[in-house]
Amino acid sequence: MIENGWPRSAAWTDGELRLGGIGVRELAARFGTPAYVLDEEEFLARCALWREALPDGEVHYGGKAFLCPEVVRWLEAAGLCLDVCTGGELAVAAAGGMDPARVVFHGNNKSVAELRRAVAWGVGCVVVDSFAEIERLAALAGEAGVRQRVMVRVTPGVAAHTHEFIATGGDDSKFGFSLNAGLAAEAVRRVLAAPSLELTGLHSHIGSQITDLGGFTLAARRMSGFLLAAEREHGVTIPRLDLGGGLGIVHRPGDPVPPGPAEVVAALREAVPARVRLAVEPGRSIAGPTTVALYEVGTVKEIPGVGTYVSVDGGMSDNPRPAMYGAAYTAILASRLSAAPPREVTVVGRHCESGDVLVRGLPLPADVRPGDLLAVPASGAYQRSMASNYNHVTRPPVVAVRDGSARVIVRRETEEDLLRLYS
């Protein structure tokens, strides 16, 4: 078994990397490259770990990490709920057969059409994010003759030690209502004053790729204190506290190993009143380590005094995270063994951008050559979901592997798919 961010089925056999019991050379021949190879058993095992850690609460899978109808079916079978944040993600949830009562609808600027659709579908909960949205949703629920269940999103003023682009718990966040400025208390008052809305909980989320429990527990204490204060002020019971997700994963050797689900839940439980139903929203920590991105080397360019560039057939269109906020990955030569000594290279993509870099300072065998396959672990979260058609490159498929079998759960885009959009 290979560790450090790889799925548990990853193993070296007969001189090549195997995933889910299938060699990467066969996967590349059958499905092409680039491709995302998803270990189905790993995904389900990670769902089970969260479900086992919180049997008396709710585990909401963060759909923005990676979502498709087949994943929705896995979540339904695993007993998880689902977080969505757009009408498109609502559509995928419905296509996968998710019970709408187990769907939570997030987002800082949901449109009227999206809210109307969510109410009509019977979505389990809407996380309100602004005063305008409270008014908008109350009117739509009133028109529909229903009492819509909501949570109020609160920014607890907790700084997560992560990149500024994925930190969401500070007072300057675009998300939610500031606790410190008194806006969260006012939001609770307005929800309770709306006959067509039912306040079922409070919500917070402090950021992503977090590897220590300090921020989580501080946010949990602040949110618990606010919940108790709101109950006293209004003489109500607020049954649920959703403390979000954001737990990090290992992307490369040497990365800090984050706590596991049981440790996270135990720490949160200590800060939350026992009678309050706890909810969490893991996304990356479920999807991330399940998937390996597979690329073919196209060119190897040595520049004297500068270094070596290894170009692959993907890049920032299928993994924009290194260019967006400096996310660091590793990669290995996956299609053969090599006795050549390692040398540091820069793995780059095929796009017309100097910033199209996937991995910097990567030790690869000095004989790496065109036609070799490189494998990048920890590629299951925020890669396919953030992928683009930059330079009119088609997006890769997602291939699920399990027990020696492989099947496409998201097909590769074609040029015909791109051309259909043009008049």
Side-chain angles (χ1 to χ4, degrees):
M1 182 180 71
I2 300 175
E3 298 180 350
N4 293 315
W6 296 84
R8 279 165 280 190
S9 73
W12 278 98
T13 307
D14 299 327
E16 69 174 327
L17 176 68
R18 300 181 74 83
L19 300 166
I22 308 176
V24 294
R25 294 194 293 264
E26 177 184 342
L27 290 167
R30 289 176 60 185
F31 304 106
T33 56
Y36 307 102
V37 183
L38 190 163
D39 186 322
E40 181 178 346
E41 279 195 296
E42 179 79 17
F43 191 100
L44 293 171
R46 289 178 171 274
C47 289
L49 285 175
W50 279 103
R51 185 67 272 173
E52 292 163 6
L54 192 57
D56 57 344
E58 298 170 10
V59 180
H60 303 167
Y61 172 73
K64 65 180 181 175
F66 171 64
L67 195 64
C68 69
E70 182 65 5
V71 164
V72 172
R73 288 186 278 272
W74 295 347
L75 298 172
E76 182 84 9
L80 269 63
C81 301
L82 173 63
D83 285 344
V84 300
C85 58
T86 66
E89 290 180 354
L90 274 175
V92 175
M98 178 62 84
D99 178 356
R102 290 166 59 186
V103 174
V104 176
F105 191 18
H106 285 270
N108 69 298
N109 187 24
K110 310 175 195 71
S111 70
V112 171
E114 288 173 325
L115 288 171
R116 182 177 288 113
R117 179 180 187 178
V119 171
W121 190 41
V123 73
C125 185
V126 176
V127 181
V128 292
D129 201 274
S130 67
F131 294 127
E133 183 174 280
I134 293 173
E135 182 178 347
R136 194 176 296 155
L137 181 60
L140 291 170
E143 291 171 7
V146 299
R147 195 158 185 246
Q148 177 62 52
R149 294 162 59 89
V150 303
M151 284 190 285
V152 170
R153 178 157 182 172
V154 178
T155 49
V158 174
H161 298 292
T162 186
H163 193 283
E164 62 177 318
F165 289 177
I166 51 177
T168 60
D171 287 328
D172 58 349
S173 173
K174 75 171 186 176
F175 297 102
F177 300 92
S178 169
L179 179 60
N180 294 332
L183 301 179
E186 178 60 22
V188 169
R189 295 183 195 108
R190 295 193 190 189
V191 168
L192 291 173
S196 60
L197 301 181
E198 179 186 355
L199 180 63
T200 63
L202 302 176
H203 174 278
S204 74
H205 178 67
I206 62 172
S208 297
Q209 190 52 20
I210 301 167
T211 56
D212 66 79
L213 292 174
F216 286 134
T217 54
L218 177 57
R221 288 195 294 270
R222 290 188 180 180
M223 291 297 296
S224 295
F226 176 58
L227 181 146
L228 294 173
E231 288 183 331
R232 288 192 298 269
E233 177 183 350
H234 301 287
V236 298
T237 297
I238 302 176
R240 180 199 294 169
L241 185 54
D242 186 336
L243 292 170
L247 184 65
I249 61 172
V250 172
H251 283 92
R252 56 182 182 165
D255 282 354
V257 178
E263 188 178 352
V264 172
V265 171
L268 296 179
R269 269 284 174 222
E270 289 185 5
V272 175
R275 62 170 175 79
V276 175
R277 186 171 178 83
L278 180 62
V280 292
E281 300 176 351
R284 183 196 314 268
S285 63
I286 291 176
T290 68
T291 300
V292 174
L294 195 61
Y295 300 98
E296 182 177 321
V297 174
T299 65
V300 178
K301 182 182 294 185
E302 299 182 31
I303 305 176
V306 175
T308 302
Y309 289 106
V310 175
S311 298
V312 297
D313 53 357
M316 65 190 300
S317 62
D318 59 75
N319 186 5
R321 299 185 66 251
M324 286 180 65
Y325 33 74
Y329 286 81
T330 190
I332 62 168
L333 173 60
S335 52
R336 62 181 176 89
L337 294 174
S338 172
R343 64 175 173 183
E344 283 199 355
V345 305
T346 301
V347 180
V348 298
R350 60 181 300 191
H351 298 284
C352 294
E353 296 283 344
S354 296
D356 182 21
V357 177
L358 292 177
V359 189
R360 297 181 186 273
L362 177 69
L364 282 181
D367 64 349
V368 65
R369 56 184 180 257
D372 282 337
L373 299 177
L374 300 188
V376 178
S379 293
Y382 304 104
Q383 288 186 212
R384 180 58 177 82
S385 61
M386 296 174 75
S388 74
N389 296 123
Y390 182 49
N391 291 150
H392 282 70
V393 171
T394 56
R395 286 177 289 188
V398 180
V399 179
V401 294
R402 183 173 186 173
D403 297 330
S405 296
R407 59 197 174 97
V408 174
I409 60 173
V410 180
R411 70 169 175 81
R412 184 183 301 279
E413 284 185 328
T414 65
E415 291 179 358
E416 288 73 20
D417 292 326
L418 300 181
L419 293 173
R420 284 194 192 100
L421 300 176
Y422 303 124
S423 58

